[in-house]
């Protein structure tokens, strides 16, 4: 599908420019049988790329594999073909919405062989704000299955998945709260962004009585992420607004700080936290409140300079 391919090239202007073109791909899957959540993302920036995959399991520490360097991107229009290699890690992500996506990760701590197939129509959002443009393409309801290996342990994973590709001009200093959760009937994506050229949106997909009747519904684009306590990861969050009334329970969290260079982080000084969550409550669709949940997925909190 158009917009899946890489859109960012190399440039010496970043990181000295106030805003630069960046892009990322994120995929996640919740396995109802084990309660696990597996996610991975690629980030491309003009001077540096990165990859990270994370396995969240109930009551257990997260397991991660990560890499930094320059991604090899050979995909044509509408195709993903990303690859990275180092002495300790090999990762390849390829495919498209039409044929499905494949992820292969080989590393000592965490390896994965996962396939995803799109089942619902994607949501495409494009913004042009005179000085900056931003595009978001995301897929809910993906059919995902594969095998995760942690050392000598193996975990078969199968369940509903999410995937996206975002690209455009992103300010050097930015922050956001982002939620993407779903069950068999409802999918919900919510973003609250701060900084220049901020993107804010909330949208839901209702499968309806049959898959043929499903559709995307735009919600009020001013959601409110509210903390229940001073410790954001040991208490539920509240997600409110004109069309939202949800409690978001934190099941597991991974903090991903980035400091480049480590002692004087003038290039990247970023705090990024990703949590596996369960959401319940109400969403107003077409003027009518509906009870939803439990919806499983991801909550992100991101702030800093990058």
């Amino acid at each position: 599908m158009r917009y899946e391919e890489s859109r960012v090239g190399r440039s010496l202007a970043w990181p000295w420019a106030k805003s630069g073109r960046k892009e990322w791909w994120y995929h996640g899957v919740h396995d109802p049988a084990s309660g696990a959540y597996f996610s991975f993302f690629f980030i491309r920036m003009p001077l540096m790329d990165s990859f990270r995959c994370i396995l969240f399991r109930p009551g257990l520490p997260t397991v991660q594999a990560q890499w930094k360097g320059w991604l090899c991107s050979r995909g044509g229009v509408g195709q993903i073909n990303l690859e990275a290699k180092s002495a300790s890690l090999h990762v390849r992500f390829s495919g498209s919405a039409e044929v499905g996506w494949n992820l292969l990760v080989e590393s000592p701590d965490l390896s994965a062989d996962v396939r995803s197939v799109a089942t619902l129509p994607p949501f495409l959002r494009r913004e042009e704000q005179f000085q900056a443009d931003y595009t978001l393409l995301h897929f809910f309801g993906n059919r995902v299955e594969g095998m995760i290996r942690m050392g000598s342990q193996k975990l078969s994973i199968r369940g509903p998945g999410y995937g996206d590709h975002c690209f455009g001009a992103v300010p050097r200093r930015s922050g956001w709260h982002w939620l993407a959760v779903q069950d068999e009937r409802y999918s919900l994506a919510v973003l609250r962004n701060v900084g220049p050229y901020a993107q804010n949106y909330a949208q839901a997909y209702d499968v309806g009585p049959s898959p043929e009747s499903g559709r995307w519904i735009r919600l009020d684009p001013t959601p409110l992420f509210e903390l229940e306590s001073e410790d954001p990861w040991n208490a539920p969050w509240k997600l409110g607004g004109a069309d939202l009334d949800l409690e978001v329970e934190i099941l597991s969290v991974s903090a991903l700080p980035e400091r480049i260079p480590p002692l004087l982080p003038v290039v990247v000084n970023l705090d990024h936290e990703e949590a596996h969550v369960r959401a319940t409550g109400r969403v107003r669709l077409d003027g009518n409140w509906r009870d939803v949940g439990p919806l499983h997925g991801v909550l992100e909190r991101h702030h800093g300079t990058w």
Side-chain angles (χ1 to χ4, degrees):
M1 181 178 179
R2 190 183 175 193
Y3 301 119
E4 290 195 76
E5 70 275 6
S6 179
R7 293 292 186 117
V8 169
R10 305 296 174 196
S11 170
L12 295 178
W14 186 92
W16 319 118
K18 292 182 179 180
S19 180
R21 294 188 63 81
K22 304 164 188 173
E23 71 179 326
W24 55 90
W25 296 260
Y26 177 95
H27 280 243
V29 53
H30 168 64
D31 177 42
S34 66
Y37 182 81
F38 174 73
S39 71
F40 65 90
F41 60 82
F42 295 86
I43 299 177
R44 297 203 73 205
M45 297 188 291
L47 286 183
M48 180 186 64
D49 304 326
S50 64
F51 164 80
R52 182 177 274 124
C53 61
I54 310 173
L55 177 64
F56 300 84
R57 292 173 294 171
L60 296 172
T62 59
V63 184
Q64 305 183 27
Q66 56 185 322
W67 167 93
K68 289 184 178 65
W70 282 10
L71 283 167
C72 177
S73 176
R74 297 186 297 269
V77 175
Q79 296 179 339
I80 302 171
N81 195 342
L82 303 174
E83 188 170 15
K85 290 183 179 181
S86 70
S88 60
L89 181 143
H90 177 209
V91 57
R92 182 172 182 181
F93 181 47
S94 60
S96 67
E98 287 78 11
V99 301
W101 305 278
N102 296 282
L103 173 76
L104 177 65
V105 182
E106 297 176 351
S107 77
D109 296 326
L110 182 63
S111 298
D113 186 355
V114 178
R115 175 167 174 78
S116 303
V117 177
T119 65
L120 300 178
F123 183 91
L124 175 65
R125 181 184 180 96
R126 299 188 64 189
E127 296 191 3
E128 194 283 318
Q129 300 187 22
F130 301 104
Q131 298 183 35
D133 64 276
Y134 177 84
T135 299
L136 161 69
L137 174 69
H138 67 198
F139 298 85
F140 278 91
N142 298 338
R143 188 171 64 250
V144 184
E145 59 181 315
M147 184 67 67
I148 313 295
R149 190 181 76 245
M150 308 81 67
S152 60
Q153 300 179 351
K154 292 183 178 181
L155 174 66
S156 177
I157 196 163
R158 175 180 295 180
Y162 166 87
D164 67 31
H165 181 207
C166 307
F167 58 89
V170 179
R172 280 270 289 142
R173 184 164 184 81
S174 58
W176 64 70
H177 291 103
W178 172 66
L179 178 79
V181 291
Q182 62 185 320
D183 65 7
E184 292 184 356
R185 174 157 183 174
Y186 297 107
S187 302
L188 177 66
V190 182
L191 174 69
R192 182 73 174 184
N193 205 315
V194 296
Y197 320 122
Q199 301 88 33
N200 297 305
Y201 65 79
Q203 63 234 8
Y205 190 89
D206 178 10
V207 172
S210 65
E212 293 76 16
S213 63
R215 61 193 179 96
W216 282 105
I217 302 171
R218 289 182 182 268
L219 308 179
D220 181 83
T222 54
L224 298 174
F225 287 83
E226 300 176 319
L227 296 177
E228 288 286 274
S229 76
E230 294 182 359
D231 186 344
W233 307 117
N234 283 313
W237 291 49
K238 293 291 186 182
L239 181 55
D243 297 323
L244 296 169
D245 181 17
L246 296 173
E247 180 174 276
V248 181
E249 179 185 359
I250 308 300
L251 302 178
S252 183
V253 64
S254 175
L256 310 172
E258 293 281 6
R259 306 288 187 264
I260 303 175
L263 297 180
L264 186 63
V266 295
V267 177
V268 175
N269 188 0
L270 179 66
D271 288 302
H272 182 96
E273 294 137 327
E274 177 182 348
H276 174 211
V277 299
R278 176 170 54 219
T280 56
R282 301 186 303 159
V283 177
R284 187 164 65 173
L285 303 176
D286 297 329
N288 298 312
W289 286 100
R290 302 189 191 179
D291 293 331
V292 299
L295 311 173
H296 281 86
V298 58
L299 170 67
E300 281 187 1
R301 187 172 72 166
H302 170 110
H303 55 97
T305 303
W306 61 309

